Amino acid sequence: MADLSRRLAAEALGTAMLVATVVGSGIMADRLSDDVAVSLLGNTIPTGAILFVLITILGPISGAHFNPVVTMVFALRKELEASAILPYMLAQILGGIAGTLIAHVMFDLPVFQISETVRTGSAQWSAEAVATFCLLLTILGGLRFKTDAIPMLVGLYITAAYWFTASTSFANPAVAIARSLTNTFAGIRPLDLPGFIIAQVVGAVLASMLATWLFADSRNKIPPIIPEGTERP
């Protein structure tokens, strides 16, 4: 594994590129279409695509968490040293904020903004819990059964979750904080952050608990399937 400074750089860079993609594609989509569904699609596809790229190129360096609740779960599972937990989370948050500011610069918008987009209520909170639960289950299942497919699994999952969750699947406290600093298509009011973050933490913890049982090593406990017509010894 890379030294901590390189891992933190990878986490900050990856989260910055992720948020720049989320915010930037949202701005572009909103400018190109007055149809909200079309704009959401224009926001969805780049997000899923960039996750595939980022996890592929940065995963070997830092694990490609880009998400404080992913870091939290890996820490709970004793798969990340305690001394790296807070630095990882700080790098992710600062990287996400940088990604928002970079998106504003690219689209010639005021660099510093505060979102006014209301995202609150039980439907939004439950959607965030579900979105984060499923994200962590996807990651942990991929680690258990097909590690090399994780970039595609996460990219495809987020692409789907944009559409099947009422919140459009933030599933990431660092991304949520960064999106509170843009008053564009992807924004969320700072006032609504606590509800989202609590729901994300709850969803992540539940996923970790289920995965511990569901993905336990069950080899040699299930008898092999014997093809029909084959005689048993």
Side-chain angles (χ1 to χ4, degrees):
M1 182 174 287
D3 59 77
L4 185 57
S5 61
R6 288 175 59 207
R7 290 155 62 194
L8 296 179
E11 285 297 301
L13 177 61
T15 314
M17 292 176 67
L18 171 60
V19 172
T21 301
V22 172
V23 175
S25 64
I27 296 168
M28 178 67 83
D30 197 35
R31 287 184 177 182
L32 294 177
S33 176
D34 293 327
D35 187 322
V36 177
V38 172
S39 295
L40 182 60
L41 184 62
N43 196 200
T44 302
I45 296 173
T47 303
I50 199 64
L51 279 167
F52 179 88
V53 172
L54 294 175
I55 296 171
T56 299
I57 65 172
L58 298 177
I61 300 173
S62 69
H65 297 189
F66 314 141
N67 186 335
V69 295
V70 172
T71 296
M72 176 193 73
V73 165
F74 275 83
L76 290 173
R77 292 166 62 89
K78 309 298 184 184
E79 295 175 17
L80 181 69
E81 67 272 31
S83 61
I85 298 170
L86 289 179
Y88 259 55
M89 292 181 176
L90 183 60
Q92 292 154 1
I93 292 169
L94 293 178
I97 291 171
T100 293
L101 303 184
I102 290 167
H104 292 164
V105 170
M106 290 193 294
F107 285 92
D108 196 26
L109 294 173
V111 176
F112 298 102
Q113 304 178 23
I114 298 295
S115 178
E116 298 175 1
T117 303
V118 178
R119 298 181 190 265
T120 190
S122 59
Q124 294 282 306
W125 301 330
S126 60
E128 275 304 290
V130 169
T132 313
F133 174 89
C134 293
L135 172 62
L136 267 296
L137 204 64
T138 298
I139 294 169
L140 296 174
L143 285 172
R144 172 65 179 83
F145 298 113
K146 198 168 179 61
T147 304
D148 60 351
I150 289 176
M152 183 175 292
L153 291 172
V154 173
L156 289 174
Y157 167 71
I158 290 297
T159 300
Y162 256 79
W163 289 84
F164 81 76
T165 63
S167 62
T168 66
S169 186
F170 285 45
N172 185 330
V175 168
I177 291 169
R179 289 172 65 167
S180 74
L181 300 176
T182 181
N183 195 28
T184 62
F185 185 81
I188 175 176
R189 289 188 310 176
L191 181 64
D192 299 332
L193 284 176
F196 266 52
I197 292 173
I198 291 170
Q200 290 159 0
V201 170
V202 170
V205 170
L206 291 176
S208 180
M209 293 169 62
L210 177 62
T212 300
W213 169 76
L214 186 62
F215 300 141
D217 191 347
S218 58
R219 286 172 294 183
N220 301 322
K221 295 181 181 179
I222 301 175
I225 297 174
I226 300 177
E228 187 176 351
T230 302
E231 291 186 5
R232 293 177 179 271

